[in-house]
Amino acid sequence: MTTHVETVASSIDEIAAQIDAAQRTGEPIEQFGEALSLDAAYQVQARLLRLRQQRGEQLTGAKLGFTSEAKMAQMGVDEIIVGFLTDEMHLRSGESLQLTGFVHPRVEPEVAFRLSRDVAPGTTARELVASVDAIAPALEVIDSRYRDFRFSLSDVVADNTSAACYVLGDWKRFRRDIDGLAVSLFADGRIVETGSTSDILGHPVRALERLAGMLTTARYSLPAGSVVLAGAATAAVAASTASRITALIAELGQVELCIQGNEAEGAAE
Ligand code: OOG
Ligand code: MG
């Protein structure tokens, strides 16, 4: 006889397997909706991380979501969420994004922090901020595995907060006075979104402080050298609309992503 606990555990594994398959094939799935609690969604996310680690991927950091009004308004979700990053998601400078294999990727500008020490659940906000040694402009590629890029809070948490890839600009020494810096997103040289680093919870360092409390929920430790993405200051743009997307953050610099596949529309592969 199966107990209730076993049934719940197997449905977490089952949901994780479905999301993992959607991520690997680029075939979208239906939302889970009300059936999935937020706690179960974080368990699904932890299971997804284990599946990726079993395939040899390494945890390289964490990302926050919905830390700006622009993102909350774009997606209709208004609670801060956390997801994980792995080495496979890291696109090196000069590497292009291949659109094949994604469902409907979008790109957004991010502030990235680097941790100089291991950070485990239970670390205080003050300790976490004190462990940061560098900051960089970044781009995040998000790709919801759900049909039509629509989800509830639990759906998006289970789907590792839509995390797909990230690109980092050059690291600079960490400093705290990084609020009020202009953020611009360009698609093929045209400005498509603008904002300010203050749009991230009033100050990007607040995103770090929030992460401290969320590691317990997320159930993982971050190794020294980990990257933390603070959450986009502006709405995201569809990757299919440009062959080059650039984020520029005043005083931090710029970071660029080339996208392959747009020009191949209709061409025989
Ligand atoms: C969820 C991910 C949100 C951010 O920066 O706010 C996020 C999504 O928009 O699909 O990464
Ligand atoms: Mg993001």
Side-chain angles (χ1 to χ4, degrees):
M1 209 183 108
T2 2
T3 65
H4 176 65
V5 173
E6 280 166 344
T7 314
V8 171
S10 68
S11 68
I12 297 228
D13 284 355
E14 169 57 25
I15 292 170
Q18 282 185 39
I19 295 173
D20 190 56
Q23 184 262 314
R24 299 180 79 185
T25 60
E27 285 295 323
I29 55 173
E30 295 302 326
Q31 295 77 3
F32 297 96
E34 297 298 305
L36 191 65
S37 71
L38 187 59
D39 185 64
Y42 274 108
Q43 289 182 52
V44 171
Q45 191 190 115
R47 180 76 192 124
L48 280 179
L49 173 60
R50 263 209 317 282
L51 287 172
R52 296 182 78 132
Q53 286 173 322
Q54 281 162 4
R55 294 198 289 267
E57 292 178 44
Q58 311 272 335
L59 179 68
T60 53
K63 56 154 285 189
L64 291 156
F66 305 130
T67 52
S68 70
E69 292 284 341
K71 283 293 301 183
M72 291 192 264
Q74 185 179 31
M75 303 317 301
V77 175
D78 59 7
E79 225 177 281
I80 299 177
I81 56 176
V82 63
F84 63 82
L85 303 171
T86 72
D87 56 346
E88 200 188 85
M89 301 180 195
H90 184 193
L91 289 173
R92 288 355 189 240
S93 158
E95 235 182 294
S96 323
L97 181 77
Q98 306 282 341
L99 285 180
T100 46
F102 291 96
V103 185
H104 33 213
R106 295 178 179 175
V107 187
E108 54 190 24
E110 297 268 351
V111 172
F113 296 104
R114 190 177 66 197
L115 306 180
S116 65
R117 296 197 295 270
D118 294 359
V119 171
T123 301
T124 65
R126 186 190 287 259
E127 287 164 347
L128 197 146
V129 175
S131 80
V132 172
D133 69 350
I135 182 168
L139 283 166
E140 184 185 15
V141 181
I142 51 170
D143 188 27
S144 176
R145 273 53 71 160
Y146 300 112
R147 201 174 298 287
D148 305 326
F149 222 117
R150 287 168 61 87
F151 41 68
S152 67
L153 176 68
S154 296
D155 285 325
V156 67
V157 164
D159 185 23
N160 191 25
T161 67
S162 309
C165 303
Y166 64 100
V167 194
L168 299 170
D170 291 338
W171 292 111
K172 285 192 160 57
R173 208 153 69 97
F174 175 58
R175 33 176 262 235
R176 277 168 177 269
D177 59 338
I178 46 159
D179 55 327
L181 305 179
V183 176
S184 319
L185 190 66
F186 298 84
D188 291 330
R190 262 179 316 110
I191 207 153
V192 285
E193 292 289 342
T194 55
S196 154
T197 52
S198 293
D199 294 333
I200 307 163
L201 298 173
H203 196 305
V205 167
R206 292 215 183 104
L208 285 170
E209 292 169 351
R210 288 298 298 263
L211 175 66
M214 295 187 83
L215 282 179
T216 309
T217 314
R219 300 171 165 80
Y220 39 78
S221 298
L222 296 171
S226 284
V227 171
V228 176
L229 300 181
T234 75
V237 295
S240 59
T241 56
S243 57
R244 190 165 47 94
I245 296 184
T246 314
L248 174 66
I249 305 184
E251 297 178 37
L252 300 186
Q254 71 167 51
V255 52
E256 189 167 282
L257 177 64
C258 289
I259 298 162
Q260 288 196 348
N262 295 333
E263 65 287 339
E265 201 83 281
E269 282 280 342

